[in-house]
Amino acid sequence: MATRNDDEDGGSRLWRGMRQLIFGDDAEPTLRGQIEEAIEEAEESRPVAGDLSPTERQMLKNLLHFGDQTASDVCVTRGEIIAVPATISFDGLIAAFADAGHSRLPVYGDSLDEVIGMIHIKDVFVAKFDESRDRSISALMRTPLFVPESMGVIELLARMRHERIHLAIVVDEFGGTEGLVTIEDVVEEIVGDIEDEHDEEQCGLLTMLEDNLWEADARLELEELRETVDARLTAEDDEVDTVGGLTFVLAGRILLPGESVLHPSGWRLESVEADARKIKRVRLHAPEGAPDAA
């Protein structure tokens, strides 16, 4: 009778045989491939005391492909960036930080394609309680990193650590703003999502109010929207991946609550909650004549 070890050795031999069949006998196994194979075999085996936990295995698998990522892969997309204009008042800046819940905010000139700096909430806090401090936006601004979208995340992380700057503006080939990335975004590619006490609960992102009427958090991924509501709810721009981003791109601006825009599929996207910087909730009205219940 075959033992468990015999079965595991047989499985390993089968995998090596398949790999040789696909890649040829001359294919040299890489260290990355060997580690991945070992993790996969361990996941199928009985847990051993002192071995890697499932969380540690997942982190290790993430790390194996960490170097394949670029700044464009890990950044917050342009439509989700919360930034402030250079003309904002000090009181307006305080309100912006309170509403955004972030520790750093980019500052832009004429448009988001002209990011001229960033402001750290620590500097705002100091200026708030020190009347001798200059409270002008130019005095509070720091210089962020500007990195190309093609920069690898390993190099990006190294630059952030070396220059002690935790926020980078990702620019496209034309110099426009592609997105924003923080050091937390980079680290999350290894350890998974990091949530703190200020992060909002990611529940109730999509609710069916009645037949053919849905309401969605603007942060809802388009992929989930297509799977749940209608596969036609796509965006022409591949970089748009949220309901809020789709609504913004279709309208060309931030819609005020009550305003709506028509999607090519016939769905009408209505802004339910928004402020001067972003759309927060969207109501989706099905096309006329759509069958009841998606």
Side-chain angles (χ1 to χ4, degrees):
M1 179 180 294
T3 64
R4 181 177 182 83
N5 287 338
D6 290 337
D7 292 339
E8 292 175 357
D9 290 342
S12 298
R13 286 194 297 271
L14 176 61
W15 165 246
R16 286 193 291 270
M18 292 176 61
R19 186 172 58 195
Q20 288 179 347
L21 181 62
I22 296 172
F23 299 107
D25 293 336
D26 296 332
E28 288 292 333
T30 63
L31 178 59
R32 179 180 302 179
Q34 291 174 326
I35 295 175
E36 282 187 308
E37 183 179 335
I39 293 174
E40 290 173 1
E41 291 180 354
E43 289 176 339
E44 297 173 357
S45 303
R46 184 174 55 190
V48 177
D51 199 358
L52 295 174
S53 67
T55 300
E56 290 172 320
R57 291 173 187 168
Q58 185 59 54
M59 289 174 60
L60 185 54
K61 287 195 289 186
N62 292 345
L63 185 59
L64 289 173
H65 296 280
F66 181 66
D68 298 335
Q69 306 265 37
T70 65
S72 179
D73 294 327
V74 303
C75 72
V76 173
T77 57
R78 177 191 176 98
E80 295 297 305
I81 293 177
I82 301 176
V84 296
T87 54
I88 194 170
S89 66
F90 185 73
D91 288 339
L93 182 62
I94 293 175
F97 269 107
D99 184 58
H102 298 317
S103 59
R104 299 168 180 82
L105 290 179
V107 180
Y108 62 87
D110 292 335
S111 72
L112 195 55
D113 285 323
E114 187 190 351
V115 175
I116 59 177
M118 71 169 181
I119 296 179
H120 197 295
I121 192 170
K122 179 174 65 176
D123 297 325
V124 176
F125 185 82
V126 171
K128 169 75 173 176
F129 295 99
D130 186 348
E131 296 183 358
S132 65
R133 292 285 185 125
D134 187 346
R135 296 182 177 179
S136 66
I137 300 301
S138 58
L140 294 170
M141 276 197 307
R142 302 185 183 192
T143 303
L145 283 176
F146 291 92
V147 301
E149 56 186 342
S150 59
M151 176 178 283
V153 291
I154 292 179
E155 181 182 355
L156 174 60
L157 181 59
R159 283 196 60 185
M160 285 181 155
R161 290 183 59 198
H162 176 71
E163 300 187 33
R164 301 177 67 182
I165 298 177
H166 289 191
L167 182 146
I169 303 299
V170 182
V171 296
D172 60 26
E173 57 183 317
F174 304 106
T177 299
E178 169 81 8
L180 175 152
V181 60
T182 66
I183 199 167
E184 181 180 285
D185 296 324
V186 179
V187 173
E188 283 183 342
E189 291 301 311
I190 301 175
V191 303
D193 290 342
I194 302 172
E195 296 186 357
D196 60 27
E197 64 273 20
H198 299 293
D199 288 334
E200 296 180 12
E201 194 68 32
Q202 297 288 315
C203 61
L205 292 184
L206 180 63
T207 305
M208 188 172 75
L209 302 179
E210 57 186 66
D211 288 343
N212 298 323
L213 182 63
W214 298 75
E215 188 165 304
D217 189 294
R219 298 167 297 173
L220 179 74
E221 297 285 335
L222 283 182
E223 181 178 356
E224 182 177 344
L225 182 69
R226 290 193 295 267
E227 292 176 353
T228 307
V229 179
D230 192 328
R232 297 175 297 170
L233 287 166
T234 61
E236 292 185 2
D237 188 344
D238 292 338
E239 300 300 319
V240 176
D241 53 12
T242 65
V243 174
L246 175 63
T247 307
F248 176 83
V249 168
L250 288 173
R253 60 183 177 86
I254 296 174
L255 295 178
L256 297 175
E259 293 184 326
S260 62
V261 64
L262 194 65
H263 187 271
S265 64
W267 282 86
R268 181 165 60 87
L269 280 62
E270 177 191 359
S271 172
V272 176
E273 183 180 355
D275 59 27
R277 291 176 294 277
K278 64 178 179 178
I279 299 170
K280 297 181 179 181
R281 294 195 68 81
V282 176
R283 191 164 292 166
L284 298 106
H285 303 259
E288 293 292 333
D292 291 344

